[in-house]
Amino acid sequence: MIRFFLIFFLLLSFGNSTIRAEDGYRLWLRYEKIENAALRQAYLGRLSQIFMDGEGPILKTAAEELEAGLGTLLGKPIPATRVSGGTGGVIAGILGRSDVLGRLVSDEDARKITAEGFLLMSGPEHLIIAAKDARGVLYGAFHLMRLLQLRLPLDGLHIIENPKVKLRVLNHWDNLDRTVERGYAGFSIWNWHELPEYIGQQYIDYARANASIGINGAVVTNVNANALVFRPDYLEKAAALADVFRPYGIRIYLTARFSSPIELGGLPTADPLDPQVRQWWKNKADEIYRLIPDFGGFLVKANSEGQPGPREYGRSHAEGANMLADALAPHGGVLMWRAFVYSEEEPEDRAKQAYNEFVPLDGQFRENVLIQVKNGPIDFQPREPVHPLFGAMPQTPLMMEFQITKEYLGQGTHLVGLAKMYGEVLQTDTYARGKGSSVAKVVDGTLHGYQITGMAGVANIGTARNWTGHLFGQADWYAFGRLAWNPYLPAETIFKEWAELTFTHNPEAVATITDMLSSSYETCVNYMTPLGLHHIMAAGHHYGPGPWVSKMPRADWTSVYYHRADEEGLGFDRTETGSNALEQYTPDFRRQYADMDKCPHKFLLWFHHVPWGHVLSTGRTLWEELCLHYHQGAAEVGRLKKKWESIKEFIDKERYRQVSMHLEIQEKEARWWRDACLSYFRAFSEMEIPSGLEQPGHTLEYYRSLAYPYAPGIRPRW
Amino acid sequence: MIRFFLIFFLLLSFGNSTIRAEDGYRLWLRYEKIENAALRQAYLGRLSQIFMDGEGPILKTAAEELEAGLGTLLGKPIPATRVSGGTGGVIAGILGRSDVLGRLVSDEDARKITAEGFLLMSGPEHLIIAAKDARGVLYGAFHLMRLLQLRLPLDGLHIIENPKVKLRVLNHWDNLDRTVERGYAGFSIWNWHELPEYIGQQYIDYARANASIGINGAVVTNVNANALVFRPDYLEKAAALADVFRPYGIRIYLTARFSSPIELGGLPTADPLDPQVRQWWKNKADEIYRLIPDFGGFLVKANSEGQPGPREYGRSHAEGANMLADALAPHGGVLMWRAFVYSEEEPEDRAKQAYNEFVPLDGQFRENVLIQVKNGPIDFQPREPVHPLFGAMPQTPLMMEFQITKEYLGQGTHLVGLAKMYGEVLQTDTYARGKGSSVAKVVDGTLHGYQITGMAGVANIGTARNWTGHLFGQADWYAFGRLAWNPYLPAETIFKEWAELTFTHNPEAVATITDMLSSSYETCVNYMTPLGLHHIMAAGHHYGPGPWVSKMPRADWTSVYYHRADEEGLGFDRTETGSNALEQYTPDFRRQYADMDKCPHKFLLWFHHVPWGHVLSTGRTLWEELCLHYHQGAAEVGRLKKKWESIKEFIDKERYRQVSMHLEIQEKEARWWRDACLSYFRAFSEMEIPSGLEQPGHTLEYYRSLAYPYAPGIRPRW
């Protein structure tokens, strides 16, 4: 089955021999034949055959992947065998179960390998892939092929790679009708209606792509959950997906709607302390595990944005989570409980909510519970300071929730390399245990000694032929996987890898793509929400600017709640004179942001209400600085376009066109953001946009009048 | 651009050399290299180069198609030139504008060619494609390549083909949010949000596929229309699609919501006699034609299923249609007005409605109006007698509306070759002008001398990689195009062509696929609605059986309204003793169906309420016959599966798997239909399912309890 992925798109172009057409479906797994014959020969010296010393579905996958991938890269059949073929070739297997590996791998090396990790080691005529388990072998196989895809030498190779995070999970906000909440790449790849019989090729290729970057779990349903997925026929459908995922080392998870015992079970309550409710969940878990023995567990969004939860029964998040955890525990499942919660009352500062609700519960959760925390305290805004919970719950495993889909970062049409944002978050120091207490150390468990660790990414995958709609969205999926494996990887390393795997080996083109990705995040922040602005997008679909949004069911869903523009100035005072959300952070962290004149500009308006005429460290007033950032951001998109044009000759035609067309949209929309936001804020600052900068082409009323009822990523309206 | 379509899916399979992987994207345009060297040489004798004598976007397309297609088929570059290269090769152009064609084509031949038609004629070393216009050249080019794809000889070739129907149009019931009403192949291929900048490759390949079978128009929006498409930014998006379609000879059409002047124009009324309303439409048409000079026109569903229309203002359908026609007329646009209408009151027989409303209006419509009539009087049921309007409006062009998407024929998962149904309808004799007055003659205008003619097909196309979800759905798209070109083509001819173009040249396999397609329609009718039953599907999504449906906002939306099962018998009496809908047909037509004992069984229960114990011409009672048909239908699906398995060796792996998985679903669902319907009807007949036949596996209550809220093809529910 895997072979279908390894297809060539050969295009007969008369006149200039044979060139390749690409549509992006193959992602970073293109396995183009190595063009340099000497290099091919050098590789072949160690890789002419594959000896997979062991069996089982995942080892079988690893052998097939190596056979197909190496064969394509090296341009000749690389046979996989179950019998050692002399001393040469790839020798792969599980330590402790393979005699040959027992002889070839030192005890010291063996001790260093942990669960799912691997050793890659080259000998004169062989290459060893050794692991403690089958997944480790599979990851080692993909790593080896990545080395070849990057044309790196194997001489003297001695790599031990262990994943730093245990649960590396995609979250699909996919509904059962195939709409995707905040999905910008078409619709859900899960065709529930035709499961379990119809197994789309995309399911298989999805699993394979994830395995290649170390992702080992997939929550296939939306956190705004539907109890129907627990109906027996839907569980059979989920089991069919689990069967596809299993040989790739991926566990399936489902979102659990807290009120399922009422909606599906007919019970009068979903109170987590009610014995019938507890029994219903226990029975349901037993039923699921009968169908899916390696079922991963549940992800729950409770008491948030209208989702039911334990608070309705006067129970705590811990009581709610523990009930579900107890149902899963006998089977080894985990319960991921989201910290993204809302109280019924509108808070004076929504940024403080999760901390206030969860910190008191530290220590009350079962061992198989993780609390899943968004990177920042509001909601995946273009830039947020890290969530104050990180570092504040030493007794409770906190897992990171990143958004890969770009709800607030240009959705389906903007080129924005998210690894840069992920890295900024992960490298932030919480000072929870003194200097050096980075978010990465919270997430990988080293700071507090968590027994389970996890990182979730809200997927950007859909039915689009290139998977992510915007071709460069693939880089975000790739980056998420790489960072979940190793949260310390620099963004530039990831961008460079992705560029080379995805497009070309030309160093100039790789450098240009890396540069585009590296600069694009700051660019987007600048034309959308510079200087710490946040939550000023249009309502509902969140498409485009909406700083004027003021009428919503809750004040903390409006823009004016967050930017607080008035005649005086702009920004949300979260210091002692305001909401004092800053107090939720450690003193060393606070110290950086408490003083308006020392606060890094990137979070200035997040933490401070700054007078329009206030002179910043740049010598410019706030208003001037704001104008400058918006204009710089929009201008940078023009430069992104130029960079892309400069490498046209190295990119195949269809993918070049795809990205070019999206850059056109991005440029148009960057200017829209700039002009709409500055037109709006100008009404408060009563200052002019500095001369020399392009003035908005329309009135504020025009920008306010724009309506896009069918912008994607929301439930269709009728 | 077109070349992207001509890609090979080459799969390196070690062990058995190189085989091909297919995912269905290439449809019937696979252009596999001709394997027989002698045949290739024979073709090359006449096709070694292409001389396109003329210019313009469509001729350019024709030249590019020939260059790419012949090149791939013949395995060597076939250069296209604008300079005559001696006497050999393809010589293509427009008669009257090409000197060389003027010399080579006789006056007699030239006279026989009509608009969009073509002459294909072979000489000793050349092959002529001559037409009266550019579209004709393009169609001739595709026809020539079809001959090669079918491996037919070119010796002595002398073909003149003229389309018998002028407007050959797909209707997309696609909403602006990309959901597709009654769509079972994923979601809409039109990504309005990213237009006009982003031109997906699929748009181009869509246009190309349509052109290859003679389709020359596309209504890209749902008949349940949204006025938003007339907003200037949406018109720009539509114009971008028109730009893609134009070089393939395809005109774009939009659906016009009758109340647009209110919703978009802010007028207080949409009364078609109101001068402001008339001016609004005139201005809107002018605006559209400024952007899209070859805009096709509007399709309107008015006063039907909640859609607004002229009846709200006390105006007739003619007054409503004529207003829109007047706005379009100065630009050459046409107005297609659907006859699928509802009165506000529930009629005693919905089958009579359209006839009653439209026949009195015959002669009142403008010259650029067509009335679009569904094939039968109810609603695309698995089998319906022809619509009584055909033959009854001699002064008004009636265009046929077929459904290609299988709303009532197994939706996305059943193999049903619709050409068989289309053919049955088109060949039906209305006797409107005596014997031989077939529906085809009404539709192609020969019976009444219509000046414009048309055939519409409700598209089955979506984002599915193979376009139609079920691979065999491609055959229905193909058949629609072929029958719109020539309504007299036998279904078997079309099936055979499609099988060979799509899969293989192996005669046994082609015969098997043709046989599967030919028998599948009757099979489906048998397991769903045998003996003239109709409208007994589940409500809303129409997925699966629902003979028990009785509670709906209107009686004529229920199943019990149509099957009228009681202790006495089954069926809708539409003779003189009943609704007398039969009276709407001509006497010669009526004579076949009026007598219960002479009425062909396929329409028995459509026209008669038959006692359960009534003995039919087969010697079996109605109940026995009903049981037998349901069981035969379900059993036939098992045979379909076996036939498919018997040709496994001739089919590539992925497409084989796709069809096999769908056949599994079809078999399961055929049994579901059989058992649910017989369980239900048994409660009325109070007779047992004859022993020897498999008994239902569940109780009637079980079948009634099944609920599928997320079955595809409806607007998602929230």
Side-chain angles (χ1 to χ4, degrees):
Chain A
M1 302 244 252
I2 64 156
R3 287 188 181 138
F4 284 108
F5 204 82
L6 296 172
I7 49 183
F8 279 144
F9 296 79
L10 279 188
L11 166 62
L12 287 192
S13 172
F14 307 116
N16 56 345
S17 78
T18 302
I19 59 157
R20 292 202 170 88
E22 300 257 5
D23 59 16
Y25 185 75
R26 294 189 297 159
L27 297 164
W28 47 85
L29 296 167
R30 290 160 62 253
Y31 294 155
E32 305 284 278
K33 182 178 172 184
I34 292 162
E35 53 298 315
N36 180 327
L39 185 60
R40 251 186 356 253
Q41 279 312 312
Y43 284 139
L44 276 168
R46 292 190 179 93
L47 309 174
S48 59
Q49 59 177 345
I50 301 150
F51 170 42
M52 182 60 68
D53 192 12
E55 53 192 0
I58 298 177
L59 290 187
K60 183 161 174 286
T61 301
E64 288 173 353
E65 285 290 336
L66 285 168
E67 195 173 19
L70 293 179
T72 317
L73 282 159
L74 300 173
K76 62 170 291 204
I78 308 294
T81 70
R82 295 280 327 282
V83 185
S84 174
T87 54
V90 177
I91 305 168
I94 297 172
L95 289 164
R97 287 198 239 156
S98 161
D99 291 341
V100 56
L101 287 176
R103 287 193 299 274
L104 290 167
V105 176
S106 73
D107 289 352
E108 195 191 340
D109 278 347
R111 271 194 301 275
K112 288 182 189 158
I113 306 170
T114 60
E116 303 188 56
F118 57 83
L119 162 73
L120 283 188
M121 184 170 69
S122 62
E125 292 183 339
H126 65 252
L127 194 135
I128 287 165
I129 306 175
K132 293 278 173 65
D133 48 36
R135 276 189 196 159
V137 177
L138 180 62
Y139 297 143
F142 276 117
H143 193 97
L144 169 63
M145 290 191 284
R146 185 154 55 227
L147 297 178
L148 266 67
Q149 285 176 279
L150 296 171
R151 312 294 188 251
L152 294 170
L154 301 180
D155 304 324
L157 191 73
H158 191 133
I159 295 174
I160 292 173
E161 281 256 355
N162 293 310
K164 294 189 187 299
V165 175
K166 285 183 183 165
L167 306 177
R168 305 176 298 279
V169 183
L170 286 184
N171 288 186
H172 290 266
W173 289 357
D174 291 18
N175 300 309
L176 299 182
D177 65 2
R178 301 190 72 180
T179 56
V180 179
E181 189 168 332
R182 312 310 175 184
Y184 311 102
F187 293 80
S188 176
I189 62 173
W190 317 124
N191 185 349
W192 290 96
H193 185 67
E194 297 192 10
L195 282 167
E197 288 88 357
Y198 198 91
I199 303 296
Q201 184 62 35
Q202 208 180 3
Y203 303 162
I204 301 162
D205 295 333
Y206 163 88
R208 183 166 176 266
N210 279 331
S212 77
I213 50 175
I215 290 170
N216 64 7
V219 188
V220 294
T221 48
N222 191 356
V223 289
N224 289 321
N226 190 324
L228 194 69
V229 81
F230 290 140
R231 203 171 72 172
D233 57 332
Y234 272 89
L235 291 179
E236 276 182 43
K237 295 166 189 279
L241 288 179
D243 290 342
V244 175
F245 296 169
R246 191 170 296 112
Y248 293 94
I250 295 166
R251 288 182 175 205
I252 195 171
Y253 298 74
L254 295 173
T255 47
R257 185 164 163 89
F258 202 80
S259 50
S260 298
I262 300 171
E263 292 153 5
L264 205 67
L267 298 186
T269 175
D271 182 347
L273 300 193
D274 181 285
Q276 274 192 297
V277 171
R278 299 178 67 82
Q279 189 63 44
W280 189 89
W281 281 110
K282 192 183 170 315
N283 292 348
K284 188 52 71 178
D286 294 348
E287 180 188 355
I288 294 172
Y289 278 93
R290 275 194 299 276
L291 288 165
I292 311 172
D294 60 348
F295 181 68
F298 297 142
L299 168 63
V300 181
K301 173 178 180 176
N303 293 120
S304 170
E305 298 182 323
Q307 290 294 304
R311 304 295 296 271
E312 287 159 41
Y313 307 97
R315 314 300 183 188
S316 73
H317 285 289
E319 288 168 318
N322 289 344
M323 169 191 62
L324 295 169
D326 288 343
L328 295 162
H331 308 285
V334 302
L335 191 275
M336 302 177 288
W337 189 269
R338 289 175 95 230
F340 181 69
V341 294
Y342 273 55
S343 70
E344 296 83 70
E345 317 91 61
E346 291 163 25
E348 43 137 18
D349 184 357
R350 194 174 110 192
K352 293 163 69 175
Q353 180 110 24
Y355 182 99
N356 288 341
E357 288 201 34
F358 278 86
V359 168
L361 301 176
D362 192 27
Q364 296 182 24
F365 292 96
R366 296 281 189 272
E367 282 187 359
N368 60 333
V369 174
L370 297 104
I371 303 301
Q372 183 167 312
V373 186
K374 291 187 183 184
N375 57 279
I378 297 294
D379 186 14
F380 297 134
Q381 288 305 297
R383 176 173 268 145
E384 299 194 27
V386 298
H387 201 296
L389 276 176
F390 291 110
M393 293 186 74
Q395 298 177 73
T396 310
L398 300 185
M399 63 188 286
M400 172 63 75
E401 178 175 320
F402 280 129
Q403 202 178 38
I404 311 175
T405 190
K406 293 198 181 78
E407 179 177 358
Y408 301 103
L409 281 148
Q411 304 198 344
T413 55
H414 294 213
L415 191 165
V416 180
L418 292 184
K420 201 80 182 176
M421 186 264 272
Y422 301 156
E424 189 174 297
V425 171
L426 290 165
Q427 287 150 31
T428 299
D429 200 335
T430 66
Y431 298 94
R433 297 205 159 169
K435 192 166 158 51
S437 303
S438 68
V439 171
K441 286 188 182 171
V442 177
V443 170
D444 77 5
T446 53
L447 195 72
H448 299 303
Y450 295 154
Q451 288 308 298
I452 33 174
T453 56
M455 194 185 291
V458 181
N460 63 345
I461 297 163
T463 49
R465 178 62 183 170
N466 68 9
W467 299 89
T468 52
H470 196 304
L471 192 70
F472 273 64
Q474 296 181 358
D476 302 322
W477 179 9
Y478 183 82
F480 170 76
R482 299 289 283 142
L483 285 168
W485 181 273
N486 178 5
Y488 304 92
L489 265 186
E492 277 75 11
T493 305
I494 296 169
F495 291 146
K496 189 169 175 303
E497 274 182 21
W498 179 80
E500 191 160 352
L501 299 173
T502 304
F503 287 112
T504 174
H505 299 287
N506 176 274
E508 183 201 328
V510 169
T512 301
I513 295 166
T514 303
D515 174 50
M516 289 172 70
L517 282 161
S518 296
S519 62
S520 58
Y521 171 55
E522 200 66 41
T523 294
C524 181
V525 170
N526 277 335
Y527 63 69
M528 284 187 178
T529 55
L531 300 172
L533 282 172
H534 52 286
H535 206 295
I536 57 170
M537 66 288 165
H541 49 56
H542 299 167
Y543 169 65
W548 45 76
V549 171
S550 60
K551 284 183 196 128
M552 293 287 284
R554 293 174 62 116
D556 56 350
W557 288 356
T558 68
S559 299
V560 297
Y561 175 94
Y562 293 99
H563 64 63
R564 314 237 156 172
D566 55 23
E567 317 83 66
E568 301 286 311
L570 182 65
F572 197 131
D573 182 0
R574 290 191 168 105
T575 67
E576 286 177 357
T577 55
S579 78
N580 209 9
L582 198 50
E583 194 187 33
Q584 295 182 335
Y585 295 89
T586 55
D588 284 326
F589 186 96
R590 292 207 286 266
R591 203 163 294 131
Q592 304 169 77
Y593 301 100
D595 180 345
M596 187 189 297
D597 288 318
K598 291 185 188 150
C599 179
H601 289 176
K602 66 181 177 181
F603 292 126
L604 183 62
L605 302 176
W606 186 283
F607 287 117
H608 298 279
H609 190 71
V610 182
W612 293 110
H614 190 75
V615 177
L616 308 184
S617 60
T618 56
R620 287 181 283 268
T621 65
L622 171 65
W623 172 248
E624 289 167 345
E625 198 66 40
L626 190 72
C627 292
L628 193 68
H629 274 76
Y630 269 114
H631 276 266
Q632 274 181 342
E636 274 295 331
V637 181
R639 284 190 279 277
L640 269 182
K641 276 176 61 182
K642 287 219 159 41
K643 286 175 192 169
W644 184 245
E645 285 161 15
S646 77
I647 56 170
K648 180 173 182 178
E649 65 184 298
F650 304 108
I651 313 293
D652 48 283
K653 194 170 158 186
E654 183 175 346
R655 292 192 301 171
Y656 180 81
R657 258 185 75 237
Q658 283 186 18
V659 175
S660 297
M661 294 185 291
H662 276 142
L663 284 168
E664 289 297 327
I665 296 175
Q666 185 173 6
E667 188 171 45
K668 181 180 77 173
E669 294 186 353
R671 297 163 62 95
W672 173 32
W673 267 94
R674 177 193 73 185
D675 294 343
C677 290
L678 288 180
S679 295
Y680 173 80
F681 290 129
R682 179 167 60 179
F684 295 92
S685 75
E686 298 183 343
M687 296 170 178
E688 287 310 307
I689 294 166
S691 64
L693 298 180
E694 190 183 341
Q695 302 296 311
H698 299 274
T699 63
L700 176 57
E701 276 320 298
Y702 168 83
Y703 295 114
R704 293 183 69 138
S705 76
L706 298 173
Y708 300 94
Y710 303 108
I714 50 170
R715 296 166 170 185
R717 307 159 139 222
W718 303 105
Chain B
M1 301 243 248
I2 62 154
R3 288 190 178 136
F4 284 108
F5 204 84
L6 296 171
I7 49 185
F8 278 143
F9 296 78
L10 279 188
L11 166 63
L12 288 191
S13 172
F14 306 118
N16 56 344
S17 78
T18 302
I19 59 155
R20 292 205 171 86
E22 300 256 5
D23 59 16
Y25 185 74
R26 294 190 295 159
L27 298 162
W28 48 84
L29 295 167
R30 289 160 61 253
Y31 294 155
E32 305 283 281
K33 183 179 170 182
I34 292 161
E35 53 298 313
N36 180 328
L39 185 60
R40 245 179 8 247
Q41 279 311 312
Y43 284 139
L44 276 168
R46 291 189 180 93
L47 309 173
S48 59
Q49 59 178 345
I50 300 150
F51 170 42
M52 181 61 66
D53 192 12
E55 50 192 1
I58 297 177
L59 291 187
K60 185 162 173 286
T61 301
E64 287 173 354
E65 285 291 336
L66 285 168
E67 195 172 20
L70 293 179
T72 317
L73 283 159
L74 301 174
K76 63 170 291 206
I78 308 295
T81 71
R82 295 279 327 283
V83 185
S84 174
T87 53
V90 177
I91 304 168
I94 297 172
L95 289 164
R97 288 197 240 158
S98 162
D99 291 342
V100 56
L101 287 177
R103 287 193 299 275
L104 290 168
V105 176
S106 71
D107 288 350
E108 192 191 343
D109 278 346
R111 271 194 301 274
K112 289 183 190 158
I113 306 171
T114 60
E116 303 187 55
F118 57 83
L119 162 74
L120 283 188
M121 184 171 68
S122 62
E125 292 184 340
H126 65 252
L127 194 133
I128 287 164
I129 306 175
K132 293 277 173 65
D133 47 36
R135 277 190 195 157
V137 177
L138 181 62
Y139 297 143
F142 277 117
H143 193 97
L144 169 63
M145 291 190 285
R146 186 156 53 229
L147 297 179
L148 267 67
Q149 285 176 280
L150 297 171
R151 312 296 188 250
L152 295 170
L154 302 181
D155 304 323
L157 191 72
H158 191 134
I159 297 174
I160 292 173
E161 281 256 354
N162 293 311
K164 295 189 187 297
V165 175
K166 285 184 183 163
L167 305 177
R168 306 176 297 278
V169 183
L170 286 184
N171 287 187
H172 290 267
W173 289 357
D174 291 20
N175 300 309
L176 299 181
D177 65 2
R178 301 190 72 178
T179 56
V180 179
E181 190 168 330
R182 313 307 176 185
Y184 311 102
F187 293 81
S188 175
I189 63 173
W190 318 124
N191 184 349
W192 290 95
H193 184 68
E194 297 192 10
L195 282 168
E197 289 87 358
Y198 197 91
I199 303 296
Q201 185 61 37
Q202 208 180 3
Y203 303 162
I204 301 162
D205 295 333
Y206 162 88
R208 183 167 177 266
N210 278 331
S212 78
I213 50 175
I215 290 170
N216 64 7
V219 188
V220 294
T221 48
N222 191 354
V223 288
N224 288 320
N226 190 323
L228 194 69
V229 81
F230 290 140
R231 203 172 72 172
D233 58 331
Y234 272 89
L235 291 179
E236 276 183 41
K237 296 167 188 279
L241 288 179
D243 290 342
V244 175
F245 297 169
R246 190 170 296 112
Y248 293 95
I250 295 166
R251 288 184 175 205
I252 195 171
Y253 297 74
L254 295 173
T255 48
R257 186 165 164 88
F258 202 80
S259 51
S260 298
I262 300 171
E263 291 153 5
L264 205 67
L267 298 185
T269 176
D271 181 347
L273 300 192
D274 182 284
Q276 275 192 296
V277 171
R278 298 178 68 81
Q279 189 63 44
W280 189 89
W281 282 110
K282 191 182 171 315
N283 293 347
K284 187 52 72 179
D286 293 348
E287 180 187 355
I288 294 171
Y289 278 93
R290 275 194 299 275
L291 289 164
I292 311 171
D294 59 348
F295 180 68
F298 298 141
L299 169 63
V300 181
K301 172 178 180 175
N303 293 120
S304 170
E305 298 182 322
Q307 291 293 304
R311 305 295 296 269
E312 286 158 43
Y313 306 97
R315 314 300 183 188
S316 73
H317 284 289
E319 287 167 316
N322 289 345
M323 168 189 64
L324 295 169
D326 288 343
L328 294 162
H331 308 285
V334 302
L335 192 275
M336 302 177 289
W337 190 269
R338 290 175 95 230
F340 180 69
V341 294
Y342 274 55
S343 69
E344 296 83 69
E345 316 91 61
E346 289 164 25
E348 45 139 15
D349 185 356
R350 194 174 110 192
K352 294 164 68 175
Q353 180 109 24
Y355 183 98
N356 288 341
E357 289 201 33
F358 278 85
V359 168
L361 301 175
D362 192 26
Q364 297 182 23
F365 292 96
R366 295 281 188 276
E367 281 187 359
N368 60 333
V369 175
L370 296 104
I371 303 301
Q372 183 168 311
V373 185
K374 291 188 184 185
N375 57 279
I378 297 294
D379 187 13
F380 297 135
Q381 288 305 298
R383 175 173 270 145
E384 299 194 26
V386 298
H387 201 296
L389 276 176
F390 290 111
M393 293 185 74
Q395 298 177 74
T396 310
L398 299 185
M399 62 187 286
M400 172 62 75
E401 178 175 321
F402 280 129
Q403 200 177 39
I404 312 176
T405 189
K406 293 197 180 78
E407 178 176 358
Y408 301 103
L409 281 148
Q411 305 199 344
T413 55
H414 294 212
L415 191 164
V416 180
L418 292 184
K420 201 79 183 177
M421 187 264 273
Y422 301 156
E424 188 174 298
V425 171
L426 290 165
Q427 287 150 31
T428 298
D429 199 334
T430 67
Y431 298 94
R433 297 205 161 170
K435 193 166 158 54
S437 304
S438 69
V439 172
K441 287 189 182 172
V442 177
V443 170
D444 76 4
T446 53
L447 195 70
H448 299 303
Y450 294 155
Q451 287 309 298
I452 32 174
T453 55
M455 193 185 291
V458 181
N460 62 346
I461 297 163
T463 51
R465 178 62 183 169
N466 68 9
W467 299 89
T468 52
H470 197 306
L471 192 70
F472 273 64
Q474 296 181 358
D476 302 321
W477 179 9
Y478 183 82
F480 170 76
R482 299 288 284 142
L483 284 169
W485 181 273
N486 178 5
Y488 303 91
L489 265 186
E492 277 74 12
T493 305
I494 296 169
F495 291 145
K496 188 168 176 302
E497 273 181 20
W498 179 80
E500 190 161 353
L501 299 174
T502 303
F503 286 113
T504 175
H505 299 287
N506 176 275
E508 182 200 328
V510 169
T512 300
I513 295 166
T514 303
D515 173 49
M516 289 172 70
L517 281 161
S518 296
S519 62
S520 58
Y521 171 55
E522 200 67 40
T523 294
C524 181
V525 170
N526 277 335
Y527 63 69
M528 284 186 178
T529 54
L531 299 173
L533 282 172
H534 52 287
H535 206 295
I536 56 170
M537 66 289 164
H541 48 56
H542 299 168
Y543 169 63
W548 45 78
V549 172
S550 59
K551 283 183 196 131
M552 293 288 283
R554 293 173 63 115
D556 55 352
W557 288 356
T558 68
S559 298
V560 297
Y561 174 95
Y562 293 99
H563 64 63
R564 313 236 158 171
D566 55 24
E567 316 82 67
E568 301 288 311
L570 181 64
F572 197 130
D573 183 359
R574 291 192 168 102
T575 67
E576 287 177 357
T577 55
S579 77
N580 207 9
L582 199 49
E583 195 187 32
Q584 296 181 335
Y585 295 90
T586 54
D588 284 326
F589 186 95
R590 289 207 289 266
R591 203 163 293 130
Q592 304 169 77
Y593 302 101
D595 180 343
M596 189 189 295
D597 288 317
K598 290 185 188 151
C599 178
H601 289 178
K602 65 181 176 180
F603 292 126
L604 182 62
L605 302 176
W606 186 282
F607 287 116
H608 298 277
H609 190 71
V610 182
W612 293 110
H614 189 76
V615 177
L616 308 184
S617 60
T618 57
R620 287 181 285 268
T621 65
L622 170 67
W623 172 248
E624 288 166 344
E625 198 67 39
L626 191 73
C627 292
L628 193 68
H629 274 76
Y630 269 114
H631 276 265
Q632 273 179 343
E636 273 296 331
V637 181
R639 285 190 279 276
L640 269 183
K641 276 176 61 181
K642 286 216 161 41
K643 286 175 191 169
W644 185 243
E645 285 160 15
S646 76
I647 56 169
K648 180 173 183 178
E649 66 184 297
F650 304 108
I651 312 293
D652 49 283
K653 194 169 159 186
E654 184 176 345
R655 291 192 299 171
Y656 180 81
R657 257 186 75 237
Q658 283 186 21
V659 175
S660 297
M661 294 185 291
H662 276 142
L663 284 167
E664 289 297 327
I665 296 175
Q666 185 173 4
E667 187 171 46
K668 182 180 76 173
E669 294 186 354
R671 297 164 62 94
W672 172 32
W673 268 94
R674 176 193 74 186
D675 293 344
C677 290
L678 289 180
S679 294
Y680 173 80
F681 291 128
R682 177 167 61 179
F684 295 92
S685 77
E686 298 182 342
M687 296 172 177
E688 286 312 305
I689 294 166
S691 65
L693 297 181
E694 191 184 340
Q695 302 296 311
H698 300 275
T699 63
L700 176 58
E701 276 319 298
Y702 168 83
Y703 295 115
R704 293 182 69 137
S705 75
L706 297 173
Y708 299 95
Y710 302 108
I714 49 169
R715 296 166 169 186
R717 311 159 138 222
W718 303 105

